[in-house]
Amino acid sequence: GGIFVSESAVVNSQNETQFILNQAVNGGGIFNDRGTVNLDAANMQFNIASQRGGGIYNYGNQTLQGTVNITDSYIENGIAAS
């Protein structure tokens, strides 16, 4: 995939960061494992996951949830099996 965000980590993506044509089991573009992802002016296209979250997979559980904040971004054509 494009990036993996681990538990409690914070990732800030700004200034037209591109996530294009990435592949993974979960989260073709971004797999967020209970961290925080801030996307500002991101371009996310044609990312593929064989299970969940073609563009973004935001994982969480009962005690800790992942957070994704998206502003002025372009997200399209993500593909996932479920």
Side-chain angles (χ1 to χ4, degrees):
I3 62 172
F4 176 81
V5 182
S6 61
E7 183 177 331
S8 301
V10 177
V11 171
N12 296 307
S13 173
Q14 301 173 318
N15 301 322
E16 300 180 18
T17 301
Q18 297 192 33
F19 301 92
I20 299 174
L21 295 171
N22 296 290
Q23 295 183 9
V25 174
N26 292 307
I30 298 172
F31 185 121
N32 182 26
D33 184 7
R34 298 168 289 179
T36 299
V37 176
N38 299 306
L39 300 177
D40 185 14
N43 181 10
M44 182 172 292
Q45 299 181 66
F46 307 106
N47 295 289
I48 299 170
S50 60
Q51 291 185 10
R52 297 178 180 94
I56 301 170
Y57 180 62
N58 190 45
Y59 176 77
N61 58 35
Q62 293 178 343
T63 58
L64 185 59
Q65 298 292 315
T67 301
V68 178
N69 301 301
I70 303 171
T71 307
D72 298 325
S73 296
Y74 185 72
I75 300 172
E76 75 164 358
N77 294 319
I79 299 171
S82 59

